[in-house]
């Protein structure tokens, strides 16, 4: 233990505690910008400076650990003036067109400049030329708003292990940049959008497709349908000011009807279908000496990662399309046939927690219906913008039910939205298919929780199935390296690109730190618990689609519409 004195008050903390953490303990809020609760601290911005007795220069509270007997002052005139100067310097190189900025009212720089009482910037403006990078189908970068905090670089390198963006140049010339000033779409960006989630300002954000949706709804010649991803129902409420983890499924359905969608369906229907296909694919691989471990394929950032960095291991990835894409393929084939709609006249919209889903929808192989299977993808944040723009009070709406048949789903599908959920859903079905017995205890707690790497052994009849669940790409990399070294004895691995799974996707409300993600996860399992059917193979609408149209899992039609191949 270490004893320090902060602003005249004694406090005892553990060794290794930073000044920032020690201050928090006694309710002193130090201003921060580069610091983020889920990232390692780098001390880049210096806005958190404090005075330490006996030292002439300021200390950065976020990266200075306390020493026994240290006397710290956080609120002297000198500290306040220095923080204001730092803030003014940051603002002077930031394009502060706040009224039209995507992050207005949710911008850490804006909030902090108010809190620090910065009401005049005395330095000349020194803004980088406005060169907005719109090359990516998912992510837009605006360096003229970048404040060089380095969070995006850290999440891209240290959490995702991708390294698409870098710190370039030195000292005051330092820039957050792409190698050789390339554009985002020229580098190995997997479109996960984690950079967006940690950016304190509006320097990086998703491509906005809301106008395309308004236009489609307005077009009287189009039949416009929408699907909602599992994680969106526990996060849209948060985006419009409700408590994190609020479940707003029925209100979203009502809202989407009110703004003019012809049918409101559920990605969860397709998640149940995915389990039918993926579960059977796993059994096929187990019985026929197929490539193991089989790895899940529903997370498009993960697919892009393995295509870029480990293409030689692509045989390990399930050939199943993601639920988003299964839904699109069926919407433009089964659904249009059943309801006598010309597939040319239907528009399929997805609401996803994910930026990479925008890119997944336009992959050239995603047109097995004969048309682009999914037309427009919005993130949770974009749907939040539409809610606000519509002036409809979503929180006051009466809950409504999804349309049938593509809106019927089970609890197994609901849990797809959290890390571990796909695996749990698959095991609920695989167990019963293999043993022919009812799985009594369907809550597989070993597989739950936000940790990045979990494993378990599940006894299924004679089979001992060894499984792993990983989230964030640096953990996926661990599995891939184990496979390469011949040290991987898992049969089945769930991989989700984003920390915490889809509830932590790059299109989710900001901020979305681990504490908030846990609340979203609780919401997901609450949805599962509340549903009367909690196993995918018991979904009556899925069984009906097989009977009326697809035939059987892994059959010829399923293969054409629901499976895919990857780019070597
Ligand atoms: Fe996901 Fe999925 S769970 S990938 O995280 O398999 O985005 O929510 O929609 O497709 O179902 C995302 C979430 C989502 C797909 C499903």
């Amino acid at each position: 233990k270490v004893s320090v004195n902060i602003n005249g008050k004694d406090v005892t903390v553990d060794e290794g505690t930073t000044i920032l953490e020690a201050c928090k303990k006694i309710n002193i809020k130090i201003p921060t910008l580069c610091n983020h609760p889920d990232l390692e601290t780098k001390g880049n911005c210096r806005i958190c400076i404090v005075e330490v007795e006996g030292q002439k220069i300021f200390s950065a509270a976020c990266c200075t650990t306390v020493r026994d007997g240290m006397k710290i002052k956080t609120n002297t005139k000198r500290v306040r003036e220095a923080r204001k100067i730092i803030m003014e310097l940051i603002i002077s190189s930031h394009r502060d067109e706040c009224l039209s900025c995507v992050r207005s009212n949710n911008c850490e720089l804006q909030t902090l400049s108010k809190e620090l009482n910065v009401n005049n910037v005395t330095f000349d403006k020194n803004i980088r030329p406005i060169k907005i990078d719109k090359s990516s189908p998912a992510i837009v970068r605006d360096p003229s708003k970048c404040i060089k905090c380095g969070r995006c670089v850290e999440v891209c390198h240290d959490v995702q292990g991708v390294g698409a963006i870098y710190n370039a140049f030195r000292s005051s010339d330092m820039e957050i940049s792409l190698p050789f000033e390339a554009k985002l779409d020229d580098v190995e960006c997997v479109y996960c959008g984690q950079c967006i989630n940690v950016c304190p300002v509006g320097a990086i954000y998703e491509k906005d497709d809301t106008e395309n949706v308004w236009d489609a709804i307005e077009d009287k010649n189009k039949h416009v349908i929408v699907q909602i991803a599992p994680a969106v129902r526990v996060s849209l409420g948060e985006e419009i000011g409700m408590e994190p983890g609020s479940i707003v499924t029925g209100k979203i359905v009502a809202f989407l009807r009110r703004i003019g969608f012809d049918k409101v369906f559920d990605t969860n229907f397709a998640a149940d279908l995915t389990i039918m296909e993926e579960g059977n694919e796993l059994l096929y691989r187990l019985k026929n000496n197929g490539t193991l471990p089989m790895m899940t394929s529903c997370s498009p950032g993960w697919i892009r990662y393995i295509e870029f960095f480990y293409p030689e291991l692509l045989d390990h990835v399930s050939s199943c399309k993601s639920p988003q894409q299964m839904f699109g393929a069926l919407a433009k084939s089964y659904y249009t046939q059943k309801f006598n709609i010309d597939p040319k006249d239907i528009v399929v919209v997805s609401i996803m927690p994910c930026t990479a889903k925008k890119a997944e929808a336009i992959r050239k192989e995603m047109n097995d219906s004969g048309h682009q299977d999914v037309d427009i993808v919005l993130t949770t944040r974009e749907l939040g913008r539409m809610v606000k723009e519509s002036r409809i009070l979503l929180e006051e709406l009466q809950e409504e039910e999804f349309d049938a048949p593509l809106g019927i789903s089970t609890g197994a599908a609901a849990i797809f939205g959290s890390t571990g959920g796909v695996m749990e859903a698959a095991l609920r079905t695989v167990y019963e298919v293999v043993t022919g017995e009812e799985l009594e205890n369907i809550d597989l707690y070993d597989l739950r929780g936000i940790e990045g790497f979990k494993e378990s052994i599940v006894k299924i009849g004679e089979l001992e199935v060894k499984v792993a669940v990983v989230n964030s790409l640096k953990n996926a990399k661990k599995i891939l390296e184990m496979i390469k070294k011949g040290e991987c004895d898992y049969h089945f691995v769930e991989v989700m690109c984003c920390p915490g799974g889809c509830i932590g996707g790059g299109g989710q409300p900001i901020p979305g730190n681990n504490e908030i993600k846990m609340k979203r996860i609780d919401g997901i399992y609450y949805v599962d618990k509340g549903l009367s059917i909690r196993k995918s193979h018991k979904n009556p609408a899925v069984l009906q689609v097989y009977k009326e149209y697809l035939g059987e899992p892994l059959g010829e039609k399923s293969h054409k519409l629901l499976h895919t191949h990857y780019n070597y």
Side-chain angles (χ1 to χ4, degrees):
K1 293 280 181 190
V2 176
S3 292
V4 295
N5 182 288
I6 304 174
N7 299 346
K9 183 169 172 59
D10 291 328
V11 52
T12 305
V13 293
D14 291 332
E15 215 167 307
T17 302
T18 62
I19 295 177
L20 182 73
E21 290 159 344
C23 289
K24 197 169 168 202
K25 208 172 161 200
I26 54 165
N27 299 318
I28 293 174
K29 198 175 159 197
I30 301 288
T32 54
L33 274 173
C34 68
N35 180 268
H36 185 281
D38 302 338
L39 298 175
E40 295 281 323
T41 289
K42 292 282 195 288
N44 288 338
C45 76
R46 319 307 283 184
I47 198 76
C48 65
I49 50 167
V50 295
E51 284 194 276
V52 173
E53 195 175 278
Q55 286 182 13
K56 280 206 182 112
I57 52 168
F58 294 113
S59 297
C62 72
C63 56
T64 309
T65 48
V66 291
R67 290 186 312 274
D68 203 39
M70 205 180 221
K71 288 197 171 137
I72 300 155
K73 293 234 163 61
T74 71
N75 186 34
T76 60
K77 183 171 167 46
R78 206 172 145 239
V79 165
R80 287 199 309 276
E81 284 179 354
R83 283 181 189 157
K84 276 193 185 176
I85 290 172
I86 293 170
M87 198 61 182
E88 285 185 38
L89 281 166
I90 294 172
I91 294 173
S92 70
S93 62
H94 169 76
R95 187 161 68 90
D96 51 353
E97 291 173 6
C98 302
L99 285 182
S100 55
C101 179
V102 68
R103 289 290 297 275
S104 191
N105 280 337
N106 188 13
C107 167
E108 292 181 45
L109 189 65
Q110 195 180 41
T111 308
L112 207 53
S113 94
K114 273 266 150 283
E115 287 178 5
L116 297 184
N117 203 13
V118 174
N119 38 36
N120 186 24
V121 176
T122 44
F123 299 99
D124 289 340
K125 275 280 185 197
N126 178 23
I127 300 167
R128 282 165 290 276
I130 304 172
K131 281 197 219 151
I132 301 177
D133 180 355
K134 296 182 178 170
S135 62
S136 157
I139 294 172
V140 180
R141 238 189 112 237
D142 179 353
S144 67
K145 292 191 180 163
C146 176
I147 60 164
K148 307 181 191 182
C149 68
R151 287 183 188 176
C152 56
V153 175
E154 190 174 343
V155 84
C156 188
H157 286 251
D158 300 351
V159 176
Q160 297 298 55
V162 171
I165 31 180
Y166 285 87
N167 292 338
F169 313 117
R170 292 194 161 207
S171 186
S172 62
D173 292 331
M174 196 275 264
E175 298 276 354
I176 307 293
S177 175
L178 299 169
F180 306 107
E181 298 188 24
K183 296 213 173 303
L184 254 185
D185 220 33
D186 302 330
V187 299
E188 285 149 345
C189 169
V190 300
Y191 308 137
C192 71
Q194 291 303 311
C195 50
I196 301 175
N197 286 2
V198 296
C199 180
V201 294
I204 195 153
Y205 47 92
E206 72 277 285
K207 180 171 161 279
D208 189 305
D209 287 302
T210 55
E211 271 319 309
N212 298 335
V213 174
W214 288 125
D215 288 348
I217 294 170
E218 201 78 13
D219 187 341
K220 294 283 164 284
N221 299 316
K222 296 289 182 195
H223 180 79
V224 190
I225 67 171
V226 59
Q227 57 168 322
I228 306 164
V232 174
R233 66 208 67 206
V234 296
S235 53
L236 182 74
E238 187 182 327
E239 183 63 21
I240 58 165
M242 296 166 76
E243 272 301 298
S246 300
I247 300 162
V248 287
T249 322
K251 291 179 187 294
I252 303 179
V253 175
F255 170 76
L256 294 169
R257 281 209 187 99
R258 286 306 84 72
I259 62 168
F261 279 100
D262 293 298
K263 294 282 174 191
V264 182
F265 292 133
D266 201 351
T267 312
N268 291 20
F269 161 85
D272 280 328
L273 192 64
T274 303
I275 291 301
M276 298 298 283
E277 294 293 325
E278 205 165 70
N280 279 288
E281 184 184 349
L282 175 67
L283 290 175
Y284 183 87
R285 289 188 189 219
L286 287 167
K287 283 185 198 148
N288 296 283
N289 237 342
T291 305
L292 292 173
M294 184 175 91
M295 304 175 93
T296 57
S297 54
C298 44
S299 169
W302 147 241
I303 295 300
R304 236 174 113 75
Y305 178 83
I306 185 169
E307 284 178 333
F308 275 144
F309 298 105
Y310 292 86
E312 70 280 15
L313 299 182
L314 276 164
D315 281 346
H316 288 270
V317 180
S318 159
S319 65
C320 287
K321 285 181 186 169
S322 73
Q324 161 170 277
Q325 294 306 134
M326 285 196 187
F327 179 94
L330 274 189
K332 291 202 179 177
S333 56
Y334 167 70
Y335 173 73
T336 50
Q337 278 177 38
K338 191 173 165 83
F339 294 94
N340 212 9
I341 300 164
D342 187 335
K344 278 202 319 304
D345 296 333
I346 187 170
V347 179
V348 176
V349 177
S350 304
I351 317 288
M352 294 281 140
C354 172
T355 40
K357 290 278 176 198
K358 287 179 186 275
E360 181 184 49
I362 57 168
R363 284 177 71 111
K364 63 181 185 328
E365 62 276 16
M366 293 297 171
N367 60 4
D368 289 319
S369 64
H371 304 266
Q372 184 176 313
D373 296 328
V374 172
D375 296 290
I376 311 171
V377 179
L378 299 183
T379 61
T380 312
R381 291 191 294 265
E382 286 170 276
L383 183 61
R385 267 172 238 156
M386 290 183 75
V387 172
K388 289 175 193 157
E389 197 180 347
S390 74
R391 316 303 291 164
I392 294 172
L393 299 179
L394 180 134
E395 57 276 42
E396 304 296 335
L397 291 175
Q398 288 283 325
E399 303 200 347
E400 293 182 14
E401 297 286 330
F402 286 105
D403 288 300
L406 306 186
I408 295 171
S409 69
T410 73
I415 59 177
F416 264 57
S418 170
T419 173
V422 179
M423 178 63 72
E424 182 169 339
L427 292 173
R428 288 181 190 177
T429 284
V430 169
Y431 182 91
E432 296 198 357
V433 170
V434 170
T435 62
E437 291 166 15
E438 181 102 2
L439 177 63
E440 293 296 334
N441 201 347
I442 67 167
D443 294 309
L444 305 178
Y445 291 107
D446 285 2
L447 303 173
R448 298 186 185 179
I450 202 166
E451 298 79 49
F453 197 125
K454 295 173 290 226
E455 55 178 9
S456 186
I457 295 175
V458 187
K459 189 122 178 49
I460 299 180
E462 297 301 302
L463 282 173
E464 284 220 322
V465 182
K466 192 167 180 205
V467 302
V469 169
V470 293
N471 67 72
S472 83
L473 294 171
K474 78 162 188 253
N475 287 313
K477 183 183 168 90
K478 286 182 194 160
I479 300 267
L480 295 167
E481 286 296 325
M482 286 163 78
I483 297 174
K484 273 182 93 165
K485 289 184 193 136
E487 292 168 358
C488 184
D489 60 353
Y490 300 119
H491 297 102
F492 190 21
V493 180
E494 178 201 297
V495 185
M496 283 294 175
C497 168
C498 295
C502 288
I503 51 95
Q508 289 285 67
I510 299 170
N513 56 44
N514 283 343
E515 208 182 317
I516 291 173
K517 283 182 200 154
M518 287 305 301
K519 293 184 180 166
R520 296 177 190 158
I521 290 177
D522 289 347
I524 288 276
Y525 288 105
Y526 193 84
V527 173
D528 169 35
K529 266 252 147 72
L531 288 166
S532 54
I533 306 176
R534 297 177 63 200
K535 297 167 189 165
S536 297
H537 57 289
K538 302 265 167 98
N539 180 332
V542 166
L543 298 177
Q544 189 186 349
V545 176
Y546 278 114
K547 192 163 159 219
E548 285 179 2
Y549 191 71
L550 289 171
E552 56 183 346
L554 308 185
E556 200 185 320
K557 223 169 193 163
S558 301
H559 218 269
K560 173 169 162 37
L561 288 170
L562 310 181
H563 290 254
T564 189
H565 57 273
Y566 305 101
N567 296 328
Y568 287 86

